[in-house]
C-alpha cells in the first residue's frame, strides 16, 4: 500500500555506513558482524536496511520468526538467527532457511523431534547460554544433557554458541561483566571438545563492542542500536552520526486568548495570548502521552516548541508563541540522538523504547547521497 502520510521517518544510509564502519574499526578484520534488525530494525525499516547492508555484514538476527520470514520475502539471502523461537514455529524457521536459537532443553528436544520426523539432515542451530542476565538461555549444568542429545546424530549441528551481557554499558558493573565473560569461556571450553564440529562464539552487543572488544570479541559481535548512532554513552554517541529524523508539518495554527483552554480535558489553560500549532503525529505513532504538558518538545525553524496539553491519538499541539512559522512548515519531531536522549530521560525511558515505538503508520524514507 502506498503511504502518503506527511509524517515521515528519514533514514540516512550514509550515516548507517559511517556507524557500521566506526564499529568495525574497533574490531579485528576477521571478526564477523551480525546486525540485529529486530522490531522493524529498531523502528526503522528492517527489510530495506538489511537489503542495503547485506554486502557488508555476515549475519542478521531478529527476535521472532515472522520478522525473519519478512526478510526472506524481501530477498535477503544472508544467514538469519532467530533469537526467540517457539516450538510452534520451528517448521517455519526451517522452511524459510532461518536459524533457530536454542535456549532450553525443552525447545532443543522439540526441534530434534521435528527434524527427525521430517527426515531432515544438517540443520544449523545456535545455543544461547545464560551467564547472569537470567532471561533466556541454557545453564552450564545443562551441557551434559545437550551433548547427549546432539551426539551420534546428523540431523542438526551447532553453528554457534553465545551469551548476552546484562550491563555492558555500565562500567560500574565491570566486575560482574568480566565474570559473565569468564563463565562463557568456561562453558565453551567444556562443551566444544565434546561436539563433532567447532561452533563460533559471540557475546557483544553495541556497548559490549565499545567496552569489551578486547576481552570478549570472539568470532562475531551483535550490533543493534549502535548502527542508528546510539553508543549508550554521551562521548561514544557524539562520535556516531545521526541516522533517524522524524519529521512532520504544521496542519493548523491557533491563537488562544488568556483563559481559553486547549486539548482533551482542557489540559492546557492559556495564561496569556498563546499561539499553537497542530501537528499530525500522536500517541498512536509512538509519541508517548508522557510527552504532554510541556515534557516533550519539537523543533520548528530551529527553535524549540514544547508540547502543550495532552498528546492525542493522532495529533499533538505545540506552543509556537514567538516562533515565526506558517501552516505547512516543516516540524522536526525527533531531530537527532541528543534530542531523543533528552526526551527519553524526561520520560524515564531509553532511546530503544522511543525508536521502536514509532508506528508503522509513519512513512519511512531512505536517503543516500
Ligand atoms: C537486541 C539484542 C542485541 C543488540 O543489542 P544492542 O544493545 O541494540 O546493540 C544483541 N544481542 C541480543 C541477544 C539481543 O537481544
Amino acid at each position: 500500500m502506498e503511504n502518503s502520510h506527511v509524517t515521515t521517518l528519514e533514514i540516512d544510509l550514509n550515516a548507517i555506513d559511517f556507524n557500521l564502519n566506526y564499529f568495525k574499526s574497533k574490531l579485528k578484520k576477521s571478526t564477523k558482524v551480525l546486525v540485529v534488525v529486530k522490531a522493524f530494525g529498531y523502528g526503522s525499516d528492517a527489510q530495506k536496511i538489511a537489503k542495503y547492508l547485506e554486502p557488508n555484514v555476515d549475519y542478521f538476527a531478529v527476535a521472532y520468526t515472522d520478522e525473519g520470514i519478512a526478510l526472506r520475502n524481501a530477498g535477503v539471502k544472508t544467514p538469519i538467527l532467530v533469537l526467540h523461537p517457539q516450538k510452534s514455529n520451528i517448521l517455519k524457521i526451517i522452511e524459510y532457511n532461518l536459524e533457530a536459537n536454542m535456549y532450553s532443553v525443552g525447545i532443543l528436544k522439540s526441534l530434534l523431534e521435528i527434524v527427525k520426523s521430517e527426515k531432515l539432515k544438517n540443520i544449523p542451530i545456535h545455543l544461547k547460554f545464560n551467564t547472569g542476565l537470567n532471561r533466556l538461555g541454557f545453564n552450564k549444568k545443562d551441557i551434559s544433557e545437550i551433548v547427549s542429545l546432539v551426539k551420534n546424530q546428523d540431523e542438526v549441528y551447532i553453528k554457534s554458541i553465545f551469551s548476552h551481557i546484562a550491563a555492558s554499558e555500565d562500567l560500574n558493573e565491570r566486575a560482574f561483566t568480566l565474570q559473565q565473560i569468564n563463565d562463557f569461556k568456561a562453558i565453551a571450553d567444556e562443551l566444544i571438545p565434546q561436539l563433532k564440529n567447532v561452533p563460533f562464539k559471540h557475546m557483544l552487543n553495541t556497548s559490549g563492542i565499545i567496552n569489551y572488544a578486547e576481552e570478549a570479541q570472539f568470532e562475531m559481535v551483535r550490533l543493534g542500536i549502535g548502527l542508528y548512532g546510539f553508543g549508550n554513552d554521551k562521548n561514544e554517541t557524539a562520535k556516531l552520526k545521526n541516522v533517524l529524523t522524524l519529521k512532520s508539518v504544521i496542519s493548523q495554527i491557533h491563537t488562544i486568548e488568556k483563559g481559553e483552554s486547549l486539548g482533551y480535558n482542557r489540559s492546557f489553560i492559556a495564561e496569556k495570548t498563546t499561539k499553537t500549532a497542530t501537528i499530525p503525529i500522536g500517541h498512536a505513532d509512538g509519541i508517548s502521552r508522557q510527552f504532554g504538558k510541556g515534557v516533550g518538545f519539537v523543533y520548528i525553524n530551529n527553535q524549540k516548541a514544547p508540547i502543550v496539553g495532552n498528546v492525542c491519538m493522532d495529533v499533538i499541539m505545540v506552543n509556537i508563541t514567538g516562533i515565526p512559522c506558517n501552516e505547512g512548515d516543516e516540524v522536526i519531531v525527533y531531530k537527532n540522538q541528543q534530542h531523543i536522549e533528552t526526551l527519553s530521560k524526561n520520560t524515564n525511558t531509553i532511546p530503544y523504547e522511543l525508536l521502536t515505538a514509532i508506528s508503522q503508520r509513519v512513512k519511512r524514507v531512505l536517503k543516500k547521497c
Side-chain angles (χ1 to χ4, degrees):
M1 194 183 76
E2 179 68 20
N3 185 344
S4 57
H5 199 15
V6 293
T7 298
T8 58
L9 181 66
E10 271 185 23
I11 303 166
D12 181 340
L13 294 174
N14 297 93
I16 285 195
D17 288 336
F18 179 93
N19 296 339
L20 178 63
N21 287 331
Y22 175 81
F23 286 98
K24 280 188 173 176
S25 76
K26 292 182 175 285
L27 301 169
K28 289 182 253 165
K29 266 215 157 68
S30 57
T31 305
K32 289 199 266 282
V33 176
L34 173 152
V35 170
V36 183
V37 289
K38 59 192 177 191
F40 299 103
Y42 290 63
S44 66
D45 185 327
Q47 282 99 296
K48 289 192 180 132
I49 298 279
K51 283 292 281 179
Y52 178 71
L53 288 178
E54 201 162 22
N56 296 313
V57 304
D58 302 283
Y59 246 92
F60 291 111
V62 292
Y64 300 119
T65 305
D66 287 347
E67 296 177 310
I69 292 173
L71 294 183
R72 285 284 179 254
N73 285 341
V76 173
K77 301 277 190 292
T78 303
I80 300 170
L81 169 59
V82 179
L83 291 165
H84 199 166
Q86 308 286 341
K87 192 181 164 180
S88 55
N89 44 43
I90 286 172
L91 262 184
K92 276 229 150 91
I93 289 181
I94 296 168
E95 183 189 338
Y96 283 87
N97 194 22
L98 307 169
E99 300 177 4
N101 168 32
M102 295 288 104
Y103 48 84
S104 68
V105 170
I107 188 135
L108 177 58
K109 282 182 175 164
S110 301
L111 180 132
L112 286 167
E113 253 170 49
I114 291 169
V115 173
K116 276 193 186 117
S117 73
E118 297 287 321
K119 302 196 166 52
L120 300 166
K121 298 262 178 276
N122 242 346
I123 299 294
I125 57 171
H126 302 255
L127 304 183
K128 187 179 200 185
F129 283 89
N130 172 31
T131 53
L133 184 59
N134 287 317
R135 187 174 72 173
L136 277 186
F138 292 100
N139 291 313
K140 191 167 190 280
K141 64 174 172 45
D142 297 322
I143 289 178
S144 57
E145 195 165 4
I146 295 169
V147 170
S148 71
L149 284 168
V150 300
K151 71 173 184 206
N152 303 326
Q153 54 81 41
D154 57 1
E155 280 95 10
V156 305
Y157 73 99
I158 298 166
K159 195 166 170 188
S160 86
I161 64 169
F162 67 109
S163 189
H164 197 38
I165 297 176
S168 58
E169 73 276 31
D170 185 355
L171 291 175
N172 293 319
E173 294 291 358
R174 190 170 164 82
F176 181 86
T177 302
L178 293 175
Q179 185 62 49
Q180 280 196 277
I181 294 167
N182 279 338
D183 288 351
F184 179 61
K185 285 181 177 162
I187 287 165
D189 287 346
E190 185 182 333
L191 172 68
I192 293 176
Q194 304 186 67
L195 300 175
K196 58 186 172 172
N197 67 297
V198 179
F200 62 92
K201 303 179 287 301
H202 45 112
M203 195 163 189
L204 300 180
N205 68 335
T206 295
S207 24
I209 299 169
I210 291 166
N211 292 325
Y212 298 97
E214 191 137 332
E215 294 88 347
Q217 191 168 144
F218 301 112
E219 289 87 26
M220 187 165 82
V221 297
R222 302 188 304 270
L223 178 64
I225 201 157
L227 193 66
Y228 303 97
F230 293 85
N232 295 333
D233 167 289
K234 235 188 176 155
N235 296 326
E236 287 297 323
T237 296
K239 292 181 205 157
L240 296 166
K241 290 223 160 109
N242 185 55
V243 171
L244 302 170
T245 314
L246 184 56
K247 292 182 171 179
S248 194
V249 296
I250 298 177
S251 293
Q252 193 179 14
I253 290 176
H254 290 271
T255 301
I256 302 175
E257 299 302 340
K258 184 180 169 180
E260 286 186 334
S261 65
L262 160 151
Y264 282 129
N265 309 107
R266 310 189 65 205
S267 40
F268 173 79
I269 310 272
E271 285 171 4
K272 53 180 192 231
T273 303
T274 304
K275 263 177 81 179
T276 66
T278 302
I279 323 292
I281 186 167
H283 62 70
D285 302 293
I287 304 302
S288 164
R289 213 161 166 278
Q290 292 186 70
F291 287 13
K293 300 179 181 173
V295 173
F297 59 94
V298 303
Y299 288 91
I300 296 174
N301 287 323
N302 252 329
Q303 294 190 52
K304 282 187 190 180
I307 297 175
V308 284
N310 286 327
V311 171
C312 307
M313 186 186 293
D314 311 303
V315 290
I316 52 174
M317 284 78 93
V318 300
N319 192 334
I320 52 162
T321 310
I323 302 175
C325 58
N326 297 301
E327 291 176 354
D329 280 3
E330 183 176 82
V331 177
I332 309 293
V333 182
Y334 291 163
K335 184 180 166 96
N336 52 29
Q337 308 105 298
Q338 288 74 18
H339 187 197
I340 290 171
E341 297 214 332
T342 302
L343 293 171
S344 302
K345 221 170 250 147
N346 289 353
T347 52
N348 236 325
T349 184
I350 48 176
Y352 293 84
E353 188 176 359
L354 261 59
L355 298 183
T356 55
I358 301 170
S359 82
Q360 294 300 299
R361 190 164 70 169
V362 173
K363 181 178 181 169
R364 271 66 177 170
V365 181
L366 279 77
K367 297 236 148 149
K368 175 156 174 85
C369 59

